[in-house]
Amino acid sequence: MALYNLEISDGQFSIQPNLSYYTKIKIFLAGIFLCFAVVPFVPIAHDIKFVLYLIGGGLCFYVVYEFLFLANVKIIFDQSTRKVYKKIPGIYTKTLMDFEEIRLVNDTSYGLLVYTIGAKSTRFVKNYPISEPFSDTKKGHREQLEFETTILEPLMEFVK
């Protein structure tokens, strides 16, 4: 499934659960372009230009944060060590839990279904999302069914 960048190789199962952030990043990049490439040539007051530059700068910081710490996050299930890792490429890799501790939790705390994994002892305290939120529409149900068949079922078989 392209939305999650699923990779199964050499005893590793990895997904990127936040790839949909790239769409938002592209929209914000268009806003940044408007703020810094178009605004200087628009005949408006300098105070308004200054405010638009501040907004563009804030968008720059937000895009960098989302790109580094949200969109590129990989959840790696390693069969050789039987552990689950959270990897932010180029920054760090964190061990989350062992395969024996994994519990699948259906989180609906914000009104949308999100599949998360958590350790048996702390599954209601700290969860790690492995899916995008699924809405209660036909499209959401179709995406949920596709996620369950292409990612969730192979993942649960991989972890056993």
Side-chain angles (χ1 to χ4, degrees), residues 4-17 72-90 92-99 102 117 128-130 151 155 158-159:
Y4 293 94
N5 199 11
L6 174 66
E7 294 177 9
I8 302 173
S9 63
D10 299 331
Q12 286 191 345
F13 186 102
S14 68
I15 57 173
Q16 284 184 283
N72 280 336
V73 171
K74 272 189 172 185
I75 305 292
I76 300 171
F77 299 84
D78 191 358
Q79 218 169 28
S80 63
T81 60
R82 299 202 46 85
K83 293 191 183 285
V84 181
Y85 300 98
K86 178 180 178 181
K87 180 177 182 177
I88 298 178
Y92 75 90
T93 301
K94 177 182 176 184
T95 304
L96 300 180
M97 63 195 81
D98 294 332
F99 278 9
I102 293 177
I117 57 170
Y128 302 94
I130 58 170
I151 293 180
L155 174 63
F158 187 83
V159 169

Side-chain angles (χ1 to χ4, degrees), residues 9 16 34 59 64 93 100 115 136:
S9 63
Q16 284 184 283
L34 288 174
L59 285 176
V64 168
T93 301
E100 292 77 28
Y115 287 103
D136 195 23

Side-chain angles (χ1 to χ4, degrees), residues 116-152:
T116 60
I117 57 170
K120 288 180 185 178
S121 59
T122 61
R123 67 176 174 248
F124 298 113
V125 177
K126 183 64 179 165
N127 295 328
Y128 302 94
I130 58 170
S131 76
E132 291 292 320
F134 300 113
S135 62
D136 195 23
T137 61
K138 286 183 183 180
K139 181 182 176 187
H141 290 296
R142 189 173 56 248
E143 289 173 352
Q144 178 184 355
L145 181 63
E146 185 179 359
F147 175 79
E148 289 173 353
T149 56
T150 58
I151 293 180
L152 197 59

Side-chain angles (χ1 to χ4, degrees), residues 1-60:
M1 186 174 199
L3 184 60
Y4 293 94
N5 199 11
L6 174 66
E7 294 177 9
I8 302 173
S9 63
D10 299 331
Q12 286 191 345
F13 186 102
S14 68
I15 57 173
Q16 284 184 283
N18 299 324
L19 274 183
S20 67
Y21 280 106
Y22 281 115
T23 305
K24 189 164 71 168
I25 288 172
K26 289 176 186 175
I27 292 169
F28 285 174
L29 285 175
I32 292 168
F33 175 77
L34 288 174
C35 285
F36 292 115
V38 175
V39 169
F41 303 107
V42 177
I44 54 178
H46 293 289
D47 294 339
I48 296 174
K49 284 185 182 182
F50 180 73
V51 169
L52 290 174
Y53 292 148
L54 285 177
I55 290 171
L59 285 176
C60 285

Side-chain angles (χ1 to χ4, degrees), residues 102-118:
I102 293 177
R103 286 289 182 233
L104 183 66
V105 180
N106 299 339
D107 185 12
T108 57
S109 57
Y110 294 107
L112 300 174
L113 174 66
V114 176
Y115 287 103
T116 60
I117 57 170

